[in-house]
Amino acid sequence: MPRLAADPGPYAFEPASTALVMIDMQRDFIEPGGFGEALGNDVSRLEACVEPAARLLALCRAHGIAVIHTKEAHRPDLADCPPAKRLRGAASLRIGDRGPMGRILIDGEPGNDFVPACAPHPGETVIAKPGKGAFYRTGLDERLRARGITHLVFGGVTTEVCVQTSMREANDRGYECLLIDEATASYFPAFKAATLAMIAAQGGIVGWTAPLAAFAAALA
Ligand code: C5J
């Protein structure tokens, strides 16, 4: 069984019962003109995780680890978008408004698609989620259990919002969760550092964190 040095201690996993959950590697968060920028964020801060996330995807594909992509997306009629989410803050463009990459955070719009380096391959599962967590109104738990998945490896954006929320949801459902450091990023580097620290604190209260090289070495 592959085993790696992680924080707070060794993490062991069986590739056949492990899935990679790549969170929201979408143009809406990573490129100018999308949801992230409309909220006032410097989206260039997320660029650093794109190449490591692509390497993590390639590693998992090469070793038969199931790959699941999530995207934060709403229906064009916004029936799945609570007003509290749409109206919060002082965004320059709100969810559903038309921006340079199409309607903000709306399923099927160009800006809602994945960045090319992290695009799903044929046959991989894509989960559209209306919330920050990957388990909220998605059926993800049922799909994972049907495949016998017990361990989840996480990457994606942003670390302290959708990645952390999804990892906490997964932890509460009994999955053994590992977050890969370089494959995730935040608009706020201090929030990323705090998230990694709080995940692994208290003996792994939410799960484990590890560098990509440690995960790769475990699979070699
Ligand atoms: C946010 C996300 N930050 N994918 N979404 O609104 O983290």
Side-chain angles (χ1 to χ4, degrees):
M1 182 182 293
R3 187 180 170 87
L4 58 123
D7 190 17
Y11 179 83
F13 63 101
E14 206 56 82
S17 53
T18 300
L20 170 64
V21 184
M22 188 57 75
I23 301 286
D24 301 0
M25 290 300 288
Q26 298 166 260
R27 302 180 67 201
D28 251 320
F29 297 105
I30 296 169
E31 294 185 12
F35 184 54
E37 191 176 71
L39 292 175
N41 296 302
D42 173 3
V43 296
S44 69
R45 291 242 164 93
L46 302 192
E47 255 171 49
C49 80
V50 173
E51 192 269 336
R55 268 193 288 142
L56 176 58
L57 282 162
L59 254 178
C60 290
R61 286 169 182 141
H63 289 89
I65 293 173
V67 175
I68 291 160
H69 305 259
T70 71
K71 57 177 182 175
E72 188 172 344
H74 290 283
R75 288 170 35 169
D77 64 3
L78 297 177
D80 58 358
C81 182
K85 179 175 182 182
R86 203 176 108 75
L87 300 175
R88 182 90 42 85
S92 58
L93 288 169
R94 295 193 184 277
I95 297 168
D97 289 350
R98 195 159 292 282
M101 296 194 289
R103 293 181 68 202
I104 298 284
L105 222 55
I106 298 298
D107 206 0
E109 297 288 336
N112 203 240
D113 206 354
F114 298 96
V115 294
C118 297
H121 282 191
E124 291 176 354
T125 301
V126 176
I127 302 273
K129 60 183 182 59
K132 303 306 182 193
F135 290 81
Y136 173 64
R137 295 176 73 173
T138 62
L140 176 58
D141 191 30
E142 293 73 11
R143 293 174 82 143
L144 293 172
R145 288 187 197 285
R147 291 167 76 161
I149 301 293
T150 55
H151 287 58
L152 298 177
V153 178
F154 283 87
V157 298
T158 61
T159 316
E160 79 282 9
V161 184
C162 291
V163 176
Q164 181 174 210
T165 302
S166 300
M167 204 165 160
R168 287 177 181 274
E169 286 179 330
N171 186 53
D172 281 351
R173 286 163 175 79
Y175 296 95
E176 304 279 20
C177 299
L178 170 71
L179 175 59
I180 303 297
D181 184 339
E182 305 91 323
T184 183
S186 170
Y187 302 120
F188 307 93
F191 290 176
K192 172 177 171 175
T195 300
L196 265 67
M198 70 175 77
I199 282 169
Q202 304 176 69
I205 193 93
V206 180
W208 287 257
T209 67
L212 181 55
F215 184 67
L219 286 167

